[in-house]
Amino acid sequence: MGFDVHQLEADRDFYLGGIKLEGAPKGAVGHSDADVLIHAICDAILGAANLGDIGHHFSNTDVRWKGKDSKYFLEEVTRMVHANGWTIGNVDCTVCLEKPKINPHIGAMKKVLAPLMKIGEDDVSIKATTNETLGYVGRDEGVLAYAVALIQKY
Ligand code: MG
């Protein structure tokens, strides 16, 4: 299982699930492109294979990852688990965000994420919820994501 949080700030691009959310009022802050959904998925997959976490492999103090497209991390994580004798079965995710609504973008995210993990779009589940205006997510100060991954030995 994986979990990640990023702060939201005005006048920033918002990358989520491997795509840029056009017209979003705020964007996520981070060392890389701050794609909270991809980061949670990477941690879920790495955790399932007992290969540490995303911070271990892609430190947020390493200049190589500054502004980095997180799709690269997911591709690398997939390569690592394959190298350790695993294939990815499916992933299930929940994004918790007040706005914008991401349901219209979920199809596009699946299309981008599935090939990075060498699985079909049907094996990528992305769900979305608000935080009912409560807490930092409710105040639109942050975005968080949970992910669960199933992997299997080949
Ligand atoms: Mg992160």
Side-chain angles (χ1 to χ4, degrees):
M1 70 87 61
F3 170 75
D4 196 30
V5 183
H6 280 268
Q7 291 181 21
L8 291 174
E9 226 172 60
D11 302 320
R12 267 180 183 274
D13 290 337
F14 196 171
Y15 294 96
L16 188 69
I19 64 169
K20 185 171 154 184
L21 295 179
E22 298 293 347
K26 291 184 173 182
V29 183
H31 182 65
S32 63
D33 67 2
D35 191 321
V36 71
L37 177 54
I38 289 188
H39 295 179
I41 293 172
C42 285
D43 262 4
I45 296 168
L46 286 169
N50 199 5
L51 290 171
D53 60 32
I54 189 171
H56 172 76
H57 296 286
F58 308 103
S59 166
N60 64 3
T61 57
D62 190 328
V63 292
R64 282 180 298 168
W65 317 129
K66 184 148 178 55
K68 190 75 179 176
D69 182 340
S70 291
K71 293 195 285 292
Y72 171 83
F73 303 146
L74 186 53
E75 243 178 341
E76 279 299 293
V77 162
T78 301
R79 192 191 55 71
M80 281 180 229
V81 295
H82 285 178
N84 279 271
W86 300 96
T87 55
I88 298 165
N90 69 298
V91 296
D92 181 24
C93 321
T94 297
V95 177
C96 194
L97 172 70
E98 216 57 33
K99 58 180 180 274
K101 295 285 177 221
I102 66 160
N103 274 319
H105 306 289
I106 284 176
M109 291 177 187
K110 289 180 178 181
K111 205 169 280 245
V112 168
L113 297 179
L116 299 174
M117 294 181 276
K118 314 278 188 233
I119 58 179
E121 286 171 44
D122 288 349
D123 295 318
V124 182
S125 160
I126 302 170
K127 312 184 298 298
T129 182
T130 69
N131 214 41
E132 296 288 337
T133 74
L134 295 167
Y136 62 86
V137 171
R139 290 189 299 271
D140 208 23
E141 294 167 1
V143 53
L144 63 86
Y146 302 94
V148 174
L150 181 76
I151 62 172
Q152 53 219 359
K153 281 276 182 192
Y154 62 75

